[in-house]
């Protein structure tokens, strides 16, 4: 058994500890939490999307765009006379 949030005399909390706790609280799926602007996306122009602040959990891994900040995503031009759908997503890979 490992003490996670109690004092042990040396640094000992890992990202796996936090991930396990988050899975217990939020489940093992993917969620956008009800905090901030919930990653609201706005098309700034034909090639730029601005994503607002928010908090999310992906299989127990917490991610965020900090409050009051935004992220900008650039999209390549499409082909004339063709309809397309772009998807902006978050991915996490543990090496």
């Amino acid at each position: 058994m490992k003490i996670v949030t109690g004092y042990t005399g040396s640094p000992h909390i890992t990202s796996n500890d936090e991930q396990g706790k988050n899975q217990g609280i939020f489940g093992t799926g993917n969620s956008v939490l009800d905090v901030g602007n919930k990653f609201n996306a706005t098309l700034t122009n034909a090639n730029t999307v601005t994503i607002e602040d928010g908090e999310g959990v992906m299989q127990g891994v917490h991610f965020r765009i900090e409050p009051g900040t935004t992220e900008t995503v650039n999209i390549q031009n499409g082909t004339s006379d063709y309809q397309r759908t772009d998807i902006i997503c978050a991915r996490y890979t543990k090496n």
Side-chain angles (χ1 to χ4, degrees):
M1 182 175 296
K2 175 183 175 183
I3 291 179
V4 177
T5 58
Y7 180 73
T8 65
S10 63
H12 64 281
I13 299 172
T14 68
S15 60
N16 283 339
D17 294 328
E18 285 299 307
Q19 184 176 2
K21 179 179 77 174
N22 288 341
Q23 286 176 341
I25 295 170
F26 301 108
T28 58
N30 306 319
S31 302
V32 173
L33 304 179
D34 191 18
V35 178
N37 290 302
K38 301 180 222 168
F39 305 115
N40 182 53
T42 304
L43 189 61
T44 308
N45 60 46
N47 297 96
T48 307
V49 177
T50 301
I51 304 172
E52 296 181 53
D53 60 332
E55 308 275 343
V57 177
M58 185 181 306
Q59 300 168 11
V61 176
H62 174 225
F63 63 97
R64 72 192 310 211
I65 297 175
E66 292 186 359
T69 65
T70 60
E71 295 281 336
T72 301
V73 177
N74 294 313
I75 301 171
Q76 294 180 353
N77 286 329
T79 303
S80 213
D81 296 328
Y82 286 89
Q83 182 178 5
R84 78 182 213 193
T85 302
D86 292 307
I87 298 173
I88 298 172
C89 65
R91 292 183 185 205
Y92 172 74
T93 303
K94 181 178 178 181
N95 294 327

